[in-house]
């Protein structure tokens, strides 16, 4: 793995992207911790994709040797912040057999009849896997709060329930990477205009996106509260400026690479007698 | 999409790879229907990956407009025939959000308590998705037959049950692509030797692979019977010579491309008034 400096990062992404108390402090066009521009970013992304692929295979193999670690990337962000594009580009570079993706939409009737974490638990990645949540249990304290989809006391209760849940995951070996993709309202307008301009993008447009857009400041505030209440040592929040898509991709990839670097998964030793198996194979002619 | 001739295929993969009555007829090193060699194969594979990505997005969008079609790739083959590598390389080129993968291992106790199709049904791809089965319900008439894991009458019953099941899927819009990756015993020996030589591949080696290898001819016969009994007009079998991995990848990709070409998915029209939405967006300033 090339040294950090060769990858144009001046600092750990885990350090520079740690969520600030106020989102207003953060320029969505900024590229904190990264001194390259788009061109270098693309080159580093390509090299990073290869590294991520290697790490993923090691993580998977490691679990076959009994290791319990998995990685869970939680992606949140306003409409058009590029969650789907991150999944496609960052995770698309990895063997799909090592990845479990879950998109959390509006809960179904059955899901609503249960606790808000009920639908989330079965989607937690098994040992050796990289899980990705495109939206997540955080929706229940984001749109849940803004749209008052549950009583205020229930919303309050959920912050604590999330902290407990994520601690439980961490204790069982799940390394959480919680990312908010932070865009500007101008960026969103451009993306929505694009969807209305291109017939091959109509299917991505939903008139209700504009209703949500009108509540921009309420959503930002809900994010700030959620981040404050649920950023813990074991499961901190990261905020990735995402007006520049190349940077958002690179930054999320870097957070994953650092997480896997820390796990440092190893090829498991043989659980059989290698020399004896070589002989068995030599005898098994057909 | 470039014309077929530019992709070095002399004929439809669906035609030339159609399963023969006897597997002995087919040389696992052959490259039927393709006149290029490895170099051209790699180039065509790269171009095909891009096409497959485009088709997948259209298929997905199409389903948002109400279309019911999905694709289900069923991959079967002896150990080391390259099923995992096909998934990684062919499907890895596609947005992971449009793909559902299922690896079918030995059934659990719970699964064994149900009909053999019970665990398969929930894994059938939803409209707009490309599903992949790495092993499948066919294991229940392959290892099931060779290892006598069920009474002979039950194995017999399953062929008919599979035909009915797949017809039901086809009627609901699932386009099946059933592929047997066909390797030689020599190829398998090389792959197993490789796993025993490389410590980063030990985790892929299982001593029981040699026990199965000793039953090679029984498995080939079980494949021939399964293919004969379950190849139908709506869900035919294809046999892909797989000693040359570059060809196996290219051939499976081509089968998928032809399947998607036949579906010819379209971008759905807007379900809203585009001009009215443009105005709403212009007014929704923040």
């Amino acid at each position: 793995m090339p040294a950090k400096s060769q990858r144009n990062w001046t600092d750990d992404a885990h350090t520079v992207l740690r969520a600030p108390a106020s989102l207003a402090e953060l320029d969505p066009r900024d590229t904190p911790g990264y001194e390259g521009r788009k061109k270098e970013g693309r080159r580093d992304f390509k090299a990073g994709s290869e590294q991520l692929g290697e790490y993923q295979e090691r993580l998977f193999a490691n679990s076959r040797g009994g290791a319990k670690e998995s990685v869970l990337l939680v992606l949140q962000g306003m409409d058009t912040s590029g969650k789907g594009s991150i999944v496609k580009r960052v995770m698309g570079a990895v063997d799909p057999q090592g990845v479990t993706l879950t998109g959390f939409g509006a809960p179904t009737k059955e899901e609503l009849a249960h606790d808000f974490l009920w639908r989330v638990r079965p989607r937690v990645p098994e040992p050796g896997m990289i899980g990705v949540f495109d939206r997540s249990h955080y929706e229940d304290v984001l749109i849940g709060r803004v749209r008052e989809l549950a009583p205020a006391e229930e919303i309050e209760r959920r912050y604590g329930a999330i902290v407990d849940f994520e601690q439980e995951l961490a204790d069982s070996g799940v390394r959480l990477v919680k990312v908010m993709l932070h865009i500007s309202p101008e960026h969103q307008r451009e993306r929505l205009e694009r969807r209305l301009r291109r017939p091959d993008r109509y299917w991505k447009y939903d008139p209700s996106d504009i209703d949500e857009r009108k509540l921009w400041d309420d959503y930002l505030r809900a994010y700030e509260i959620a981040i404050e209440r649920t950023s813990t040592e074991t499961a901190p929040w990261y905020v990735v400026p995402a007006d520049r898509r190349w940077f958002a991709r690179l930054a999320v990839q870097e957070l994953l690479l650092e997480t896997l670097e820390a796990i440092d998964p190893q090829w498991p030793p043989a659980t059989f007698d290698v020399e004896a198996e070589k002989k068995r194979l030599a005898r098994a002619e057909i």
Side-chain angles (χ1 to χ4, degrees), chain A:
Chain A
M1 186 141 152
K4 196 132 281 214
S5 62
Q6 285 175 264
R7 287 186 286 140
N8 295 296
W9 285 92
T10 55
D11 208 341
D12 277 359
H14 274 85
T15 307
V16 286
L17 298 174
R18 194 71 174 256
S22 156
L23 290 170
E25 283 174 26
L26 212 71
D27 180 355
R29 289 188 62 78
D30 202 3
T31 62
Y34 191 75
E35 61 186 8
R37 296 175 64 98
K38 193 170 182 174
K39 195 178 140 201
E40 292 77 31
R42 282 180 191 270
R43 204 161 50 209
D44 283 343
F45 184 78
K46 213 175 156 198
S49 290
E50 215 154 297
Q51 288 164 16
L52 195 61
E54 279 173 38
Y55 269 132
Q56 177 276 320
E57 196 184 351
R58 272 177 187 265
L59 181 75
F60 189 81
N62 202 29
S63 75
R64 291 301 174 269
K68 292 287 171 232
E69 283 94 348
S70 66
V71 173
L72 174 55
L73 173 65
V74 174
L75 283 176
Q76 288 288 159
M78 307 277 197
D79 291 327
T80 77
S81 59
K83 298 181 292 293
S85 146
I86 294 271
V87 175
K88 178 174 176 177
R89 303 289 294 273
V90 179
M91 302 316 300
V94 164
D95 187 341
Q97 294 162 109
V99 179
T100 51
L101 300 176
T102 311
F104 289 96
T108 63
K109 226 172 174 178
E110 192 192 10
E111 287 166 352
L112 282 173
H114 291 84
D115 179 65
F116 76 110
L117 293 174
W118 179 78
R119 65 172 181 165
V120 179
R121 292 184 179 275
R123 306 304 304 170
V124 170
E126 300 284 321
M129 301 293 285
I130 302 178
V132 182
F133 287 178
D134 176 355
R135 302 186 187 270
S136 65
H137 44 295
Y138 283 97
E139 289 297 313
D140 298 284
V141 292
L142 293 168
I143 191 170
R145 183 182 188 98
V146 172
R147 291 288 189 180
E148 298 178 2
L149 302 179
E153 319 83 73
E154 166 61 10
I155 301 284
E156 277 307 303
R157 184 193 71 83
R158 287 177 183 170
Y159 298 109
I162 288 174
V163 169
D164 292 346
F165 171 59
E166 292 181 351
Q167 184 60 50
E168 181 195 311
L169 296 191
D171 291 343
S172 72
V174 183
R175 308 287 177 108
L176 281 123
V177 182
K178 303 191 292 188
V179 172
M180 182 214 176
L181 297 173
H182 182 45
I183 56 168
S184 64
E186 295 72 37
H187 181 80
Q188 186 183 65
R189 183 171 38 69
E190 283 165 26
R191 302 301 297 196
L192 290 175
E193 278 172 359
R194 185 163 176 264
R195 291 182 184 176
L196 287 169
R197 202 168 53 234
R198 290 180 47 175
D200 62 342
R201 287 294 168 272
Y202 286 168
W203 66 279
K204 289 195 170 193
Y205 183 85
D206 184 336
S208 75
D209 292 348
I210 292 186
D211 304 323
E212 299 305 303
R213 175 174 167 79
K214 289 178 182 163
L215 300 168
W216 190 274
D217 290 335
D218 296 339
Y219 273 103
L220 268 195
R221 185 72 195 119
Y223 268 104
E224 283 174 345
I225 295 168
I227 287 170
E228 192 214 321
R229 299 284 299 272
T230 65
S231 256
T232 60
E233 268 314 301
T234 38
W237 269 101
Y238 300 94
V239 178
V240 170
D243 271 14
R244 298 180 198 264
R245 293 217 160 187
W246 67 265
F247 177 74
R249 281 199 287 271
L250 188 71
V252 173
Q253 182 190 72
E254 185 66 15
L255 287 168
L256 289 172
L257 284 173
E258 288 175 9
T259 304
L260 284 154
E261 209 171 3
I263 295 176
D264 192 22
Q266 300 297 320
W267 302 115
T271 53
F272 45 83
D273 180 335
V274 176
E275 294 310 316
E277 288 301 315
K278 282 181 181 168
K279 280 175 203 147
R280 274 184 78 213
L281 177 59
R283 281 196 308 268
E285 266 323 305
I286 293 157

